[in-house]
């Protein structure tokens, strides 16, 4: 018998996966196609009447306990009335499906389909809906304690750890790394003064960009992709939405004044449902520094599996410039 050569990242057959899902969930007439092979592998399952998303996690990225935490969080958010794509359990009540892949065990979860589509140029009504629904989600997530662990978002995980891990990647880019390091120490000290007091914490999605929520034809919104969700300062989610305005300005899709007006409408709607203090809002640009650094570390840590096409010295230099632009521009968008 020929042994399987050591593998670090396989792709499961869509045909075999479709047969498996029909058997486990009792679906009929479904097709399965791969949508994305990235942080995890995403497949679209559909028949004449419905659609679902089946997500297969990489063991190097998410362990069983972490995935169980995501499932638990989404089920609690749904039970509380949040508008989220939720895990669908099979006929035996099981949420996590287990696959013996070439590299070892991989787990998969079936999710409900988020109706609608991505909207990048949000109307006033959509901004209002988004603000209300995000605040409702935070009202629920702030009172949740999960039985399973999720990586927290704090100064250690968003600033200190990324700076230490990324240092070897910046070999030959001393000026860029020194800028990031000095800014990191400065920003961590400033945030420490805020986070040492009474702040709003809870489970956050940490990636509320338009790619992670859909609006339907009636402007109802559904949030999805909570793969990075963890406990942290709730203002981080508001910051990640502020990143949308930053992208729009940087890509000449809107002016600073237009982006500021959109964010103001979103925040007005948010505060109609959940309070947030001015000190936290003023800290959003500083939190954004940790956002960029956190995902930069993720790209570095997962270089072999998906980021090798763009993670270069040129990319690191450009991303450092990007962070400089963020720290200069973000305060003008609030």
């Amino acid at each position: 018998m020929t042994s399987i050569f050591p593998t670090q990242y396989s792709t499961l057959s869509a045909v075999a996966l479709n047969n498996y899902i029909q058997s486990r969930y009792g679906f009929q007439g479904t097709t399965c196609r791969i949508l994305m092979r990235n942080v995890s592998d995403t497949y679209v399952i559909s028949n004449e009447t419905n659609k679902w998303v089946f997500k297969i996690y990489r063991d190097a990225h998410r362990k069983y306990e972490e995935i169980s935490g995501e499932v638990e969080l989404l089920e609690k958010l749904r039970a509380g009335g949040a508008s989220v794509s939720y895990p669908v359990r099979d006929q035996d009540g099981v949420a996590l499906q287990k696959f013996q892949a070439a590299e070892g065990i991989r787990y998969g979860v079936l999710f409900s389909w988020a109706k609608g589509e991505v909207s990048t140029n949000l109307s006033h009504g959509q901004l209002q809906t988004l603000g209300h629904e995000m605040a409702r989600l935070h009202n629920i997530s702030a009172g949740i304690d999960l039985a399973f662990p999720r990586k927290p978002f704090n100064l250690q995980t968003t600033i200190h750890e990324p700076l230490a891990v990324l240092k070897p990647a910046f070999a030959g880019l001393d000026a860029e790394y020194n800028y990031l390091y000095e800014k990191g120490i400065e920003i961590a000290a400033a945030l420490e003064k805020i986070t040492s007091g009474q702040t709003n914490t809870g489970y956050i999605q940490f990636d509320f960009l338009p790619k992670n929520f859909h609006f339907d034809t009636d402007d109802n919104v559904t949030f999805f992709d909570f793969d990075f969700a963890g406990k942290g300062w709730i203002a981080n989610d508001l910051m990640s939405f502020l990143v949308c305005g930053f992208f729009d300005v940087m890509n000449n899709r809107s002016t600073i004044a237009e982006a500021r007006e959109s964010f103001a409408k979103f925040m007005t709607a948010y505060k109609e449902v959940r309070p947030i203090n001015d000190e936290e809002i003023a800290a959003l640009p500083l939190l954004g520094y940790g956002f960029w650094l956190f995902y930069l570390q993720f790209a570095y840590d997962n270089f072999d599996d998906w980021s090798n096409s763009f993670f270069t010295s040129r990319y690191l230099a450009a991303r450092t410039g990007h962070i400089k632009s963020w720290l200069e521009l973000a305060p003008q968008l609030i």
Side-chain angles (χ1 to χ4, degrees):
M1 179 179 178
T2 304
S3 61
I4 297 176
F5 193 84
T7 305
Q8 68 184 42
Y9 189 4
S10 65
T11 303
L12 303 192
S13 161
V15 173
L17 193 57
N18 187 49
N19 293 334
Y20 177 92
I21 289 172
Q22 287 182 345
S23 173
R24 294 296 301 175
Y25 292 86
F27 295 167
Q28 295 182 348
T30 57
T31 59
C32 175
R33 63 179 177 87
I34 191 164
L35 178 67
M36 184 184 303
R37 187 176 185 271
N38 201 318
V39 176
S40 54
D41 297 339
T42 305
Y43 296 77
V44 175
I45 314 296
S46 61
N47 57 23
E48 291 183 355
T49 58
N50 213 337
K51 273 186 178 182
W52 302 265
V53 164
F54 196 79
K55 185 175 178 181
I56 299 180
Y57 298 78
R58 289 186 292 115
D59 180 70
H61 175 52
R62 292 283 178 245
K63 303 297 184 185
Y64 176 88
E65 291 76 13
E66 293 177 285
I67 303 168
S68 296
E70 181 184 351
V71 167
E72 182 186 5
L73 172 63
L74 287 169
E75 290 185 335
K76 287 187 174 183
L77 289 174
R78 185 194 180 205
S83 183
V84 295
S85 168
Y86 55 87
V88 179
R89 293 179 176 265
D90 67 17
Q91 295 176 103
D92 296 325
V94 176
L96 273 67
Q97 306 300 325
K98 185 177 179 180
F99 302 93
Q100 180 61 63
E103 69 269 36
I105 299 299
R106 297 185 67 181
Y107 291 96
V109 176
L110 186 72
F111 292 94
S112 65
W113 184 259
K115 294 181 179 179
E117 58 186 20
V118 170
S119 181
T120 55
N121 186 20
L122 302 181
S123 67
H124 174 73
Q126 288 173 327
L127 288 166
Q128 185 175 53
T129 297
L130 191 67
H132 288 162
E133 291 302 326
M134 191 184 295
R136 291 189 183 104
L137 186 150
H138 287 155
N139 281 340
I140 303 165
S141 73
I144 288 175
D145 284 313
L146 299 181
F148 295 94
R150 296 290 301 181
K151 185 172 183 175
F153 294 102
N154 51 40
L155 297 182
Q156 179 60 31
T157 59
T158 63
I159 296 180
H160 298 306
E161 180 186 322
L163 283 173
V165 171
L166 286 166
K167 187 174 183 179
F170 278 83
L173 297 171
D174 294 345
E176 286 81 359
Y177 182 79
N178 289 338
Y179 169 82
L180 291 177
Y181 183 83
E182 291 168 6
K183 275 296 178 184
I185 298 303
E186 174 189 327
I187 288 170
L191 289 174
E192 185 67 42
K193 295 177 182 178
I194 301 172
T195 58
S196 62
Q198 186 67 32
T199 56
N200 295 315
T201 59
Y203 285 94
I204 55 177
Q205 197 259 8
F206 204 62
D207 195 17
F208 269 125
L209 302 180
K211 65 184 177 68
N212 289 329
F213 51 83
H214 281 174
F215 281 99
D216 66 15
T217 53
D218 295 318
D219 280 349
N220 298 307
V221 70
T222 302
F223 301 118
F224 57 91
D225 195 356
F226 283 70
D227 181 62
F228 284 97
K231 207 162 198 177
W233 200 3
I234 278 176
N236 275 296
D237 275 347
L238 306 180
M239 170 274 297
S240 70
F241 180 65
L242 182 64
V243 171
C244 303
F246 172 74
F247 279 143
D248 285 344
V249 173
M250 292 295 290
N251 292 304
N252 297 315
R253 291 193 294 263
S254 72
T255 65
I256 292 176
E258 290 168 340
R260 184 169 55 243
E261 182 182 6
S262 292
F263 190 71
K265 290 176 180 178
F266 162 77
M267 285 303 308
T268 296
Y270 184 93
K271 289 187 284 188
E272 288 172 352
V273 177
R274 179 179 176 84
I276 184 167
N277 63 58
D278 292 339
E279 191 178 33
E280 289 174 291
I281 296 174
L284 298 185
L286 304 183
L287 292 172
Y289 169 89
F291 173 88
W292 296 112
L293 214 61
F294 175 88
Y295 283 111
L296 195 59
Q297 180 192 344
F298 177 79
Y300 180 61
D301 285 341
N302 293 270
F303 177 87
D304 285 347
D305 286 340
W306 65 278
S307 67
N308 59 336
S309 63
F310 66 82
F311 198 92
T312 62
S313 294
R314 182 178 179 180
Y315 169 78
L316 290 173
R319 183 47 54 100
T320 302
H322 207 84
I323 293 172
K324 287 182 181 179
S325 297
W326 164 263
L327 291 174
E328 292 169 359
L329 180 59
Q332 302 177 56
L333 305 181
I334 298 173

